[in-house]
Amino acid sequence: MNTKSIKNSCIALVAAVCLVSAMPGEQPITKNGKQVIINTTTIAADIKGYNGPTPLKIYITNNKIDKIEALPNQETPKYFFKVKKQMLGQWDGMAVSKAVKAKVDAVTGATMSSECLNKTVQRGLEYYKKNK
């Protein structure tokens, strides 16, 4: 193989890995020791922000939220960054029973994304309560 072929093969491999890792095939609920991880990609696909769904991973240990992280989505990066920064940490440490009812304040200028995030968190936590 020449250098160009190796380079093209590497590019193809990286592209394939990126595609597979971005696919929504992951299970909605997985466990890592005592921690339960809820992936909302499929269970909240119908909840739309400004440009579509905003899938999340919700990490829970002993019925308390450890953290929530945003997964790739189509929201405008500039606005969604504000939403992530101002909203996601507000659920940290909250008991699931309280968090499922909580509505975190929307971010000014990103109301649709904020509301989508609130609904997605609630849907993910409801799924957790039914399937833990």
Side-chain angles (χ1 to χ4, degrees), residues 51-65:
N51 287 320
T54 57
L56 305 168
K57 278 192 177 178
I58 305 170
Y59 296 81
I60 302 167
T61 305
N62 297 325
N63 287 315
K64 287 192 176 182
I65 298 172

Side-chain angles (χ1 to χ4, degrees), residues 14-36:
V14 168
V17 168
C18 288
L19 281 173
V20 169
S21 67
M23 294 176 75
E26 193 171 330
Q27 295 295 319
I29 190 166
T30 55
K31 292 185 179 180
N32 183 12
K34 291 183 178 185
Q35 189 175 60
V36 177

Side-chain angles (χ1 to χ4, degrees), residues 112-128:
M112 290 180 74
S113 297
S114 299
E115 289 176 0
C116 179
L117 209 68
N118 267 312
K119 290 177 185 175
T120 301
V121 168
Q122 288 174 338
R123 176 83 56 87
L125 295 175
E126 288 167 358
Y127 185 89
Y128 166 78

Side-chain angles (χ1 to χ4, degrees), residues 8-131:
N8 288 340
S9 295
C10 288
I11 291 170
L13 178 62
V14 168
V17 168
C18 288
L19 281 173
V20 169
S21 67
M23 294 176 75
E26 193 171 330
Q27 295 295 319
I29 190 166
T30 55
K31 292 185 179 180
N32 183 12
K34 291 183 178 185
Q35 189 175 60
V36 177
I37 305 161
I38 305 298
N39 182 328
T40 66
T41 301
T42 56
I43 60 176
D46 61 317
I47 302 172
K48 309 285 188 213
Y50 187 75
N51 287 320
T54 57
L56 305 168
K57 278 192 177 178
I58 305 170
Y59 296 81
I60 302 167
T61 305
N62 297 325
N63 287 315
K64 287 192 176 182
I65 298 172
D66 296 324
K67 70 176 180 174
I68 299 174
E69 67 182 33
L71 296 173
N73 60 68
Q74 298 300 314
E75 297 298 272
T76 306
K78 175 178 146 180
Y79 295 106
F80 197 68
F81 175 77
K82 290 179 186 180
V83 171
K84 289 190 313 184
K85 186 176 178 183
Q86 293 180 31
M87 290 183 71
L88 290 182
Q90 292 190 44
W91 283 283
D92 292 358
M94 200 179 286
V96 170
S97 57
K98 181 179 178 184
V100 77
K101 298 172 188 170
K103 183 166 175 157
V104 174
D105 289 338
V107 175
T108 303
T111 306
M112 290 180 74
S113 297
S114 299
E115 289 176 0
C116 179
L117 209 68
N118 267 312
K119 290 177 185 175
T120 301
V121 168
Q122 288 174 338
R123 176 83 56 87
L125 295 175
E126 288 167 358
Y127 185 89
Y128 166 78
K129 286 174 66 174
K130 290 178 185 171
N131 297 284

